[in-house]
Amino acid sequence: MGRRVGIIVYWVFITFVVGSGVRSITTQVFWPRADAAPPAATCSAGIRGLASELRTFAADRAARPSEAPPNDRAFFGAWDARQHALESLCEGEAARSAYVSLARYRFSLEQSLVRHLREETVLSRDLDARLAALRP
């Protein structure tokens, strides 16, 4: 009798853990919370502003690959929250299309920065060391 109760308790616990995980992951992927205020009053202005922030951030990061990397996750986390908050303002086919393109651009840019920093940082440091070794 005790063994059966133990097995039942075990399976109830496993079912609870798996169910909680599936629910948590599903809501985060398909319905992320918007913890930030929209970055602008209109969809168009918000998309332009967010795109400009991405470009500025990427240019700054790419210009100095040999420096210690800042916390890119913090930037992208805050940026993502504002982008998700903007979604409610983007109504209509053109606005939705621009919103989706902005999201694709953001993820592509992040991956490009990761590759750039992984590969170019070593080359940049090598070049800096060799330039420092040159005599004027």
Side-chain angles (χ1 to χ4, degrees), residues 19-61:
S20 297
V22 167
R23 180 176 173 264
S24 174
I25 291 169
T26 303
T27 56
Q28 289 178 23
V29 169
F30 294 108
W31 302 283
R33 293 183 319 163
D35 293 339
T42 66
C43 179
S44 176
I47 288 175
R48 283 186 172 89
L50 288 173
S52 176
E53 283 181 34
L54 281 177
R55 290 179 179 132
T56 302
F57 178 77
D60 183 55
R61 293 294 293 126

Side-chain angles (χ1 to χ4, degrees), residues 100-119:
V100 169
S101 291
L102 178 66
R104 284 196 322 251
Y105 177 66
R106 174 255 188 262
F107 286 107
S108 174
L109 186 69
E110 181 182 23
Q111 292 307 308
S112 294
L113 284 173
V114 168
R115 280 191 310 273
H116 177 72
L117 293 174
R118 181 180 59 229
E119 297 165 5

